[in-house]
Amino acid sequence: MGHALREWIEKVETYVLEVIVGERRGGWTPVLRGLLYGLSRVFGVAVRLRRWLYNMRILRDTTLGVQVIAIGNLSVGGTGKTPVVERFARELRDLGRNVAILSRGYRSRPPPLRQRLLNKVLLREDQTPPRVVSDGKNLLLDSETAGDEPYMLASNLRDVVVLVDKDRVKAGRYAIEKFGCDTLLLDDGFQYWDLRGRRHDVVLVDCQQPFGNGHLLPRGTLREPPSHLARASTIFITKSDGNTADLRAHIARFNPHAPIIECVHHPLYFEDVFTGERCGLELIKGRKIAALSGIAQPESFEAGLARLGGLLVYAKRFADHHRFTQQEVLNVINRSKKRQAEMIITTQKDAVRFPKLDRRDLPIYFMRVEIKIIAGAKDFNDYVRRICFLR
């Protein structure tokens, strides 16, 4: 996809998102909002119909004979899913499981258009093997080919297989046959119903924005209504502030049986994007910094820098999954210098999309984070062990 087309798509996405959350008013905005509401009613019917077709076995799912853990959410973007997937993969691996993470690779480079069209015209199954981001030993693809999250997971988990394919049944078979995997983690898999077996559904709920504005796509950010939490085996409240009694009660209305685990995103260290040098969290304390991000909820990231003592003098936000150009990064460097920033801080998810730079007048670091469980640790440990001993 060309840079100009990508930029246009991002502008449209940003505009629609501002309409959805109410940041834009006047003009044609009420008309567009009404249109989106109508489309969301149609979307809701489609979601319920699809679920009914699976329940009635009209649409058939597949069993591969291994453990399947689907980790996802009801809403789009910003729940902090990737660190939770990483935590599950690490715990399962440490308890002896041979783990593969299966991702659809959002905004990864798709197969050639000619090949995709030919498969559709001839009604034939795509025989292309899944993309192997990591074989459990080596990182084999770049972030543009693999997608941001799969590349980041493969970078952090060098001894876990990471595969990318829209067809995760095919990817699962490949993981079992080629790598001997006995546990499949479906990244963003709560709505992927083609793969069943011994399946566990883990659903993430963002403490700050649990159910968005309450509307389904495209009027809101919900992929499914909150009542579908009833399917969850375990529920994670992410970015918890500890004051979750009302949210827990709301969740219990839909699923009173699933254990609820609360977690926060815990910073570990800062790492230079280009040299790999690691520094402690005291790096930014009392120092002027700039923030650069292309994620769903940049406010949470920027607030985290402030909590670590950084003095934020400039922040530049791009659309979620934005692939930075060299000129864009250089522009951020120039503006940061004008504000007397001593360094630029970004996220690890953004760092994997950085271009090579001809000049680096300011050091650029990403903040490495992991999840820290603050409530329900015993439930989490018991849950992981139960998965591991179900052979």
Side-chain angles (χ1 to χ4, degrees):
M1 187 188 298
H3 176 66
L5 177 58
R6 184 182 288 141
E7 195 174 59
W8 181 81
I9 291 172
E10 286 181 0
K11 284 180 179 177
V12 171
E13 287 178 348
T14 301
Y15 174 77
V16 173
L17 185 60
E18 289 173 352
V19 170
I20 288 171
V21 300
E23 291 179 0
R24 285 199 178 245
R25 302 181 184 279
W28 288 95
T29 299
V31 176
L32 178 57
R33 200 170 283 137
L35 176 62
L36 293 175
Y37 178 75
L39 291 174
S40 74
R41 298 298 295 267
V42 175
F43 180 78
V45 172
V47 167
R48 292 177 177 89
L49 175 61
R50 181 168 175 257
R51 188 63 198 161
W52 181 82
L53 291 172
Y54 273 98
N55 288 338
M56 294 294 104
R57 309 293 291 169
I58 297 169
L59 291 177
R60 304 301 294 268
D61 50 42
T62 302
T63 299
L64 296 180
V66 298
Q67 292 289 330
V68 176
I69 301 100
I71 301 177
N73 42 41
L74 293 180
S75 59
V76 292
T79 57
K81 174 174 51 62
T82 304
V84 175
V85 173
E86 181 184 336
R87 177 68 178 266
F88 262 93
R90 203 180 295 280
E91 295 281 345
L92 290 163
R93 177 208 62 194
D94 290 348
L95 286 172
R97 283 283 176 167
N98 190 355
V99 180
I101 297 173
L102 310 183
S103 174
R104 68 189 176 99
Y106 180 68
R107 288 199 177 170
S108 61
R109 187 185 295 158
L113 179 61
R114 178 177 172 276
Q115 179 182 321
R116 284 179 283 149
L117 290 175
L118 198 59
N119 287 338
K120 286 186 182 296
V121 170
L122 299 178
L123 300 176
R124 68 186 185 191
E125 186 179 345
D126 182 10
Q127 298 297 322
T128 309
R131 293 175 184 165
V132 183
V133 187
S134 170
D135 59 4
K137 298 174 184 174
N138 303 296
L139 189 59
L140 302 174
L141 298 178
D142 60 21
S143 67
E144 186 172 7
T145 308
D148 307 342
E149 286 94 346
Y151 181 85
M152 184 172 144
L153 286 164
S155 299
N156 294 340
L157 297 161
R158 290 301 174 95
D159 43 5
V160 169
V161 174
V162 181
L163 304 178
V164 167
D165 200 295
K166 187 178 179 181
D167 183 349
R168 281 180 267 189
V169 174
K170 180 177 74 175
R173 284 200 185 100
Y174 193 88
I176 295 164
E177 293 168 3
K178 298 293 183 182
F179 301 107
C181 296
D182 57 23
T183 305
L184 306 178
L185 272 176
L186 304 188
D187 178 19
D188 199 15
F190 188 55
Q191 286 79 30
Y192 191 81
W193 299 327
D194 290 354
L195 185 55
R196 298 298 299 176
R198 296 192 291 272
R199 172 161 165 155
H200 310 261
D201 281 296
V202 179
V203 181
L204 277 55
V205 176
D206 184 347
C207 180
Q208 298 169 6
Q209 296 182 339
F211 308 111
N213 59 5
H215 293 290
L216 292 172
L217 291 168
R219 174 61 184 88
T221 56
L222 286 173
R223 299 168 174 178
E224 299 183 62
S227 59
H228 287 201
L229 281 172
R231 299 203 317 272
S233 311
T234 296
I235 296 169
F236 268 77
I237 296 177
T238 61
K239 306 176 190 175
S240 174
D241 58 5
N243 185 24
T244 58
D246 290 344
L247 179 56
R248 280 173 169 267
H250 192 67
I251 291 171
R253 286 172 49 205
F254 307 117
N255 190 334
H257 306 296
I260 297 176
I261 297 161
E262 296 185 40
C263 64
V264 294
H265 285 62
H266 178 63
L268 294 177
Y269 54 79
F270 292 102
E271 182 173 321
D272 190 292
V273 170
F274 299 103
T275 69
E277 177 193 4
R278 292 182 181 179
C279 302
L281 298 177
E282 69 280 356
L283 174 72
I284 67 171
K285 189 171 184 180
R287 300 176 71 181
K288 293 180 179 179
I289 61 170
L292 169 61
S293 61
I295 55 177
Q297 292 185 23
E299 304 87 355
S300 179
F301 164 62
E302 292 162 12
L305 297 178
R307 283 194 296 271
L308 290 172
L311 307 176
L312 192 62
V313 295
Y314 176 66
K316 178 62 177 176
R317 301 171 179 177
F318 289 88
D320 193 16
H321 294 278
H322 179 79
R323 189 156 293 278
F324 304 100
T325 66
Q326 184 180 94
Q327 190 56 56
E328 285 170 342
V329 178
L330 291 175
N331 288 343
V332 171
I333 290 173
N334 291 334
R335 287 165 187 162
S336 299
K337 287 172 63 180
K338 286 181 180 177
R339 305 286 179 89
Q340 298 183 320
E342 300 173 63
M343 65 192 77
I344 297 170
I345 310 295
T346 188
T347 71
Q348 186 177 13
K349 183 177 164 184
D350 289 308
V352 304
R353 290 182 259 113
F354 263 52
K356 289 183 170 63
L357 292 184
D358 296 331
R359 48 169 264 256
R360 299 198 290 271
D361 304 355
L362 286 178
I364 304 177
Y365 296 92
F366 70 78
M367 184 169 67
R368 174 79 164 95
V369 300
E370 67 175 8
I371 64 158
K372 181 179 181 181
I373 296 174
I374 61 172
K378 184 178 185 303
D379 288 331
F380 176 72
N381 293 333
D382 290 347
Y383 185 57
V384 171
R385 279 178 164 73
R386 204 159 57 241
I387 292 170
C388 286
F389 293 120
L390 284 172
R391 293 288 179 182

